[in-house]
Amino acid sequence: MINKSLVLTYFYLLIYLLLSSGVILYNKWVLSPKYFNFPFPITLTMIHMGFSGMVAFVLIRVFKVVSPVKMTFEIYATCVIPISAFFASSLWFGNTAYLHISVAFIQMLKALMPVATFIMAVMCGTDKPRCDVFLNMVLVSVGVVISSYGEIHFNVVGTLYQVTGIFAEALRLVLTQVLLQKKGLTLNPITSLYYIAPCSFLFLFVPWYLLEKPQMEVSHIQFNFWIFFSNALSALALNFSIFLVIGRTGAVTIRVAGVLKDWILIALSTVIFPESTITGLNIIGYAIALCGVVMYNYLKVKDVRASQLPPESIPERNAKDWKLEKKSSDIFVPNNSSDNIRAGASNLDASDMNVDEEAPLMPSSRLSHIGRTHLTNHGA
């Protein structure tokens, strides 16, 4: 029999991979002077933010799909505004990089994301310097340097834009953890867009007015409503697909899917955009960087699972209780032992389904019943 939940989970993963790859390729096609020729990345980002903010407003205020969170002026000023500023900056710099470097090289540079996140986390005090993580970061950096050296159409400006966007995104992630979690505030994709998208739009308006508006007035640009509408709709659908995937899978699956998406993008970009030439040195450097990324992901997932384990596992506690009971009375008479075992097994099954990150992807018979505790779900 086909497991419907498993099929649905893999369907969501497929949608995420298609949308994530499609949005990146679509943005490259729109911005590239060789294709649609709309070389205004700030304008494109503003269209995305404005469209997402309007859709979120309609969903919350008109259709009341979800309720808005309790947002005070203090939380908005100290949390939402800084996060929106770095979110807008990361999108702006990332989209600008498409004007100068290829999609394949951009995906290779994105291997620096763990390095940037680790550096920002250490600077903000949310993580501590560790030798094993530091060695992984060195491996990733060396791989990216080799890949950059092998890039035929290397462009310093485009590389700087992409790296700056990566560090801006890393700082946004760290600030989200530091600011929102300390306030006890959780935002789903709809409420996130409801509060962050309009603020990001305003942040982008100033550089747009100074940098791109004068150029748009003198240049003859083509504006196709359906092109920009479908592009913004794809970006919005990507946000929702990420939420669906995170809700049905765990951190391991998300990270593996991200690596798979990068390889798919690198392969597709060389087919769709012939100028995206990949050299052997590109592949060797990216493979080295990818080894560091995989090791880093393994360490982070291992740390998360280790933090979820109790000081003593269930069998150890049961053995201690049995020894204490045996010491007080030398006779141990089990009552309804088979019923107790069945009840305990069913309770552990329920606990596993609530705890295990990969529960939707794994049959319950494969899950370990040792050292599990009830935890609340956490979405990245």
Side-chain angles (χ1 to χ4, degrees), residues 362-374:
M362 298 170 60
S364 60
S365 60
R366 292 176 56 193
L367 299 177
S368 171
H369 297 310
I370 299 176
R372 302 307 182 110
T373 55
H374 288 282

Side-chain angles (χ1 to χ4, degrees), residues 25 35 104 264-278:
L25 295 173
Y35 299 97
I264 292 174
L265 268 173
I266 292 174
L268 285 177
S269 64
T270 58
V271 176
I272 299 175
F273 306 111
E275 69 274 9
S276 299
T277 307
I278 298 178

